[in-house]
Amino acid sequence: MIRRSILAFALIILLMDNIQAQPKGYLYDEDKVPQFVIPDPLKFQNGEVVKTTTDWKKRRGEIFNLFESQIFGKSPSRPKSIKATSSLSKTIANGKILLRQIEIELTDSGPTVSVLMFLPANATGQVPAFLGLNFNGNHTVHPDKEIAITKSWVRNNGGLGAKNNQASEMGRGASQSRWSVQQITDAGFAAITCYYGDIDPDFDDGWKNGLHAHIRPSQSNQPQADEWGSIAAWSWGLSRIVDYLETEDAVDAKSVFVVGHSRLGKTSLWAGATDPRFAGVISNNSGCGGAALSKRAFGETVKRINTSFPHWFCDNFNKYNDNEQELPVDQHMLLALCAPRPVYIASASKDLWADPMGEFLSAKYASPVYKLLTGNGLNIDDFPNVNTPTIGVISYHVRDGKHDITPYDWQQYITFGKKALSN
Ligand code: GTR
């Protein structure tokens, strides 16, 4: 009897652990996913079939315009030049890692972002790199005392000592589990990061602060319905960091993999779609507006994301609130915009809000485009077991656990990066 109740208790705990708290009132039941038609990336809007790589170039243009005008919004073109100054350069980790900090002025009038680079100190030539934005400030990525604390807006967070939207010493090193700099540099890559709020603050400010206040896609003072939201601004900032990397000796600017987690995984996908200089694209637990198919309306929906985060996308995206079936594209086509460059989509088993199945299906439905361009696509047809990565030109894994980016995820991204570079 006692043994039976211990077993029952253990089962309850096991089940509780497997069900992560998710916002109520949303769909988490696979059987209730609405019927939807998945737009065919290899069919032009007029119904004609894409047969050749030349056809694809035209079709890519159609798809790109739709993502730009309906979802992320148009961004300004590349500025003529950027200014960069070094503010720190020293070795850490017993001489194994070269830590550098560079201040980059994104436009003539600002903002200035601080870029942190962790380089393998023993490298003899230019190294490949992972480039991604961070959520809480560069000082949270690594405990080194000389990493500058951002003066930009940060989200208040008692645990990180962020008050009145200002970061503080207390957060130093607090996010280091998300940035496996030792693992990355040991593998011969640089880890490069920048605080996303240095580029544009993550709140709905009507274009008053950050990058939006300095440069605009049109002459208008008011954001137009098809002009950039914050995700596009963060992506644009990533491209400016590549502009800088092109001028510098330590990193091979042709071997930069853009990476991001969650909202920053949505950002890495749009950065990959807009900037062909990225050698590959990694999107970790990116969910709605990232890798997850919108039309499944599983977990976070278009209406919910536009309501909680009205500044992330362009205003046109609101047309699809409770109306996903009218979307002329779905997120598998965002992955296809990165083709033929390799793309990695990763989910976490307990992250139902981000819809792991919807993220997987995006990878699967992007495959025909990759097959046309490279002969290869995603190597599996069915949703895989946890912790069973499939690494190829389209890569996918579902890690056991919660919404996060972990050393396990990084290990797969390193394997992916090495494989991509050896091809
Ligand atoms: C959630 C949001 C997700 C995801 C996440 C994050 O609140 O609903 O789309 O982006 O934030 O970025 O951590």
Side-chain angles (χ1 to χ4, degrees), residues 135 261-264 266 286 288 300 305 309 312 353 403:
F135 276 88
H261 167 63
S262 205
R263 67 198 67 184
L264 300 178
K266 309 180 208 293
S286 57
C288 182
E300 188 170 29
I305 206 166
F309 306 105
W312 281 3
W353 187 236
H403 187 71

Side-chain angles (χ1 to χ4, degrees), residues 25-44:
Y26 291 87
L27 184 64
Y28 302 110
D29 181 349
E30 200 55 46
D31 293 339
K32 297 202 175 120
V33 169
Q35 288 279 331
F36 63 92
V37 179
I38 189 84
D40 186 342
L42 293 182
K43 240 183 212 166
F44 285 99

Side-chain angles (χ1 to χ4, degrees), residues 23-24 26 300-309 321 353:
K24 290 211 175 79
Y26 291 87
E300 188 170 29
T301 60
V302 170
K303 181 177 180 185
R304 165 73 188 229
I305 206 166
N306 279 330
T307 309
S308 314
F309 306 105
N321 290 348
W353 187 236

Side-chain angles (χ1 to χ4, degrees), residues 167-190:
S168 79
E169 196 56 51
M170 194 177 150
R172 197 173 287 287
S175 307
Q176 55 182 315
S177 69
R178 288 190 163 178
W179 292 90
S180 299
V181 295
Q182 192 70 58
Q183 199 183 355
I184 296 168
T185 50
D186 280 351
F189 287 82

